[in-house]
Amino acid sequence: MNTGSDEPGEVAVASDETKADVATSHQGLGSRAPEFIKARRMLHVSWQVGVFIIGLAVVGAGIIMLPLPGPGWVVIFGGMAIWATEFVWAQLVLRWTKRKVTEAAQRALDPKVRRRNITLTVIGLVIVGVLVGVYLWKFGFEMPWKIKDQ
């Protein structure tokens, strides 16, 4: 750790401006456990293990919900939020994810992008409609697995 001094026993003291910058850049990082838990090392480690296990169970349930019915990604991000109450790495991942989701939402709301997406959706629906029409014209209402050689 760099203390800002090469002499042993000396400690660098940050100015008020530096303290304000550090406070704003790392605001909210670290454990959010109650103070009486943080005061006792063994209790704090037990608390962290419990938070990790609960977060792991929620993230695991979200991963299971990805191919199955259920809000998989929402549950995964909920598990990350549980981890973020205790672990700095999860807080940083959650901040990065929120920033990327916000950027994607802003891009999606851009009028040019919305026009392009609507145009591509309409073109896709027209193509699907034409294919369904050709199928119905050629085979009628028969299911593909019941079509005899024609």
Side-chain angles (χ1 to χ4, degrees):
M1 182 166 95
N2 185 7
T3 61
S5 174
D6 294 331
E7 299 296 321
E10 290 186 25
V11 178
V13 179
S15 67
D16 290 338
E17 293 174 6
T18 308
K19 289 179 185 176
D21 291 342
V22 171
T24 58
S25 66
H26 295 292
Q27 184 179 6
L29 291 180
S31 177
R32 295 189 185 139
E35 289 302 321
F36 74 92
I37 290 177
K38 284 192 230 178
R40 293 166 185 85
R41 176 87 175 129
M42 203 56 193
L43 188 57
H44 192 226
V45 170
S46 300
W47 177 271
Q48 286 180 327
V49 168
V51 167
F52 183 79
I53 290 172
I54 291 170
L56 186 64
V58 173
V59 168
I63 290 171
I64 290 171
M65 286 184 205
L66 286 176
L68 299 175
W73 285 110
V74 173
V75 174
I76 289 172
F77 291 131
M80 287 297 299
I82 291 170
W83 279 338
T85 63
E86 200 57 37
F87 303 107
V88 173
W89 61 267
Q91 293 168 0
L92 296 174
V93 168
L94 208 54
R95 283 183 182 182
W96 179 84
T97 304
K98 285 179 183 178
R99 188 174 62 248
K100 291 298 179 183
V101 167
T102 302
E103 290 171 5
Q106 289 173 347
R107 279 194 312 269
L109 294 176
D110 181 31
K112 288 181 183 178
V113 174
R114 289 185 72 197
R115 256 192 313 274
R116 183 199 65 202
N117 289 346
I118 290 172
T119 303
L120 290 174
T121 302
V122 168
I123 291 171
L125 289 174
V126 167
I127 290 171
V128 168
V130 167
L131 292 174
V132 168
V134 167
Y135 176 85
L136 290 176
W137 172 71
K138 183 158 172 103
F139 301 109
F141 284 106
E142 290 290 323
M143 293 292 126
W145 51 88
K146 292 184 178 180
I147 294 176
K148 303 207 178 10
D149 291 320
Q150 294 184 3

